[in-house]
Amino acid sequence: MNGSNSRSTGSDSGARRRSDATREAILTAARERFAADGYERATIRAIAKDANIDPSMVMRYYGNKEGLFAAAVSVDLRLPDVAGLPRQDVGRALVAHFLDTWEENEVLTALLRVGATNQAGAERMQGIFRDQVLPVARQVCPDPEQVPARAALGATQLLGLALTRYVLRIPPVVALPREEIVAWLAPTLQRYLTAPSP
């Protein structure tokens, strides 16, 4: 009786490991395919082929392409705690952090590509802005009523940089050294977040 239970438990954990590995293979293939093809052109069939599984498995785990996209592009920006920084260093810290994040995370590039042309992607970007960027702006903005507008102005700079450097790959922007980008953008972001209203 005990031997049968232990075989069952071992078999369950093996199945769970296979299921986790299948999910990870699907998500990896989906991120790469969404990044390369965009949301509209990426297909469940192509993603399944890239993951070496049957398309029905993708549907079983994620339901449809929107569900797969939402799972594949969950993003935690891991924004720094700006409350502990000297106020005049907030812009520099955020620009440096965003550059590090974009350099390391191809999911963000895929999300930006898709967000520019697809409602599901745009909604995902809006959610990241609402849940992760607004709270940071709230910590440093001198006027609580201006937090949404100031955070949105900051996003225009950071997303504009990401679009031109990582998606459109405009040569002069790609060629700019990291420290030079920080030096140019940090004062602008700082002004948007902490300066008195114009």
Side-chain angles (χ1 to χ4, degrees), residues 4 7-9 16 28 38 40 46 51 53 62 93 109-110 114 143 152 155 196:
S4 149
R7 274 197 304 275
S8 167
T9 304
R16 194 167 28 255
T28 299
E40 298 300 337
I53 58 162
Y62 298 103
T109 306
V114 173
D143 181 346

Side-chain angles (χ1 to χ4, degrees), residues 13 19 26 33 38 60 68 81 90 92 96-97 110 120 126-127 133 143 151 153-155 168 172 185 191-192:
S13 82
S19 173
I26 293 168
R33 184 61 65 173
R60 175 180 161 197
L68 175 59
D81 179 11
V90 169
R92 174 170 284 280
H97 179 81
Q126 291 163 12
V133 178
D143 181 346
L153 287 167
L168 301 177
L185 244 59
R191 183 171 67 85
Y192 285 152

Side-chain angles (χ1 to χ4, degrees), residues 34-36 94-114 125 157-182 185:
F34 285 131
L94 288 175
V95 173
H97 179 81
F98 266 92
L99 278 169
D100 289 344
T101 303
W102 283 98
E103 297 284 348
E104 295 165 7
N105 193 336
E106 66 189 24
V107 174
L108 280 170
T109 306
L111 184 55
L112 187 58
R113 274 197 182 99
V114 173
M125 290 295 275
Q157 298 300 302
L158 295 169
L159 293 178
L161 170 66
L163 183 66
T164 55
R165 187 171 170 92
Y166 303 111
V167 177
L168 301 177
R169 300 194 58 80
I170 294 174
V173 182
V174 173
L176 274 172
R178 183 182 183 283
E179 274 312 306
E180 207 170 318
I181 292 172
V182 173
L185 244 59

Side-chain angles (χ1 to χ4, degrees), residues 7-182:
R7 274 197 304 275
S8 167
T9 304
S11 154
D12 288 350
S13 82
R16 194 167 28 255
R17 277 195 302 273
R18 282 191 303 279
S19 173
D20 290 346
T22 300
R23 284 177 187 271
E24 193 49 47
I26 293 168
L27 292 177
T28 299
R31 288 181 191 116
E32 290 170 3
R33 184 61 65 173
F34 285 131
D37 295 350
Y39 182 86
E40 298 300 337
R41 288 181 25 230
T43 65
I44 295 288
R45 188 173 301 282
I47 290 165
K49 183 178 177 195
D50 293 345
N52 292 317
I53 58 162
D54 189 86
S56 66
M57 293 297 284
V58 179
M59 304 303 277
R60 175 180 161 197
Y61 287 123
Y62 298 103
N64 56 29
K65 188 160 76 167
E66 277 197 14
L68 175 59
F69 180 75
V73 297
S74 64
V75 171
D76 180 358
L77 296 175
R78 294 188 180 93
L79 292 170
D81 179 11
V82 296
L85 291 175
R87 193 176 183 82
Q88 70 275 10
D89 294 342
V90 169
R92 174 170 284 280
L94 288 175
V95 173
H97 179 81
F98 266 92
L99 278 169
D100 289 344
T101 303
W102 283 98
E103 297 284 348
E104 295 165 7
N105 193 336
E106 66 189 24
V107 174
L108 280 170
T109 306
L111 184 55
L112 187 58
R113 274 197 182 99
V114 173
T117 59
N118 174 267
Q119 187 60 34
E123 286 170 4
R124 178 63 72 188
M125 290 295 275
Q126 291 163 12
I128 292 169
F129 174 80
R130 181 187 61 245
D131 300 338
Q132 298 182 49
V133 178
L134 276 177
V136 172
R138 200 169 284 121
Q139 292 179 57
V140 295
C141 179
D143 181 346
E145 289 184 10
Q146 293 178 343
V147 166
R150 286 174 178 252
L153 287 167
T156 66
Q157 298 300 302
L158 295 169
L159 293 178
L161 170 66
L163 183 66
T164 55
R165 187 171 170 92
Y166 303 111
V167 177
L168 301 177
R169 300 194 58 80
I170 294 174
V173 182
V174 173
L176 274 172
R178 183 182 183 283
E179 274 312 306
E180 207 170 318
I181 292 172
V182 173

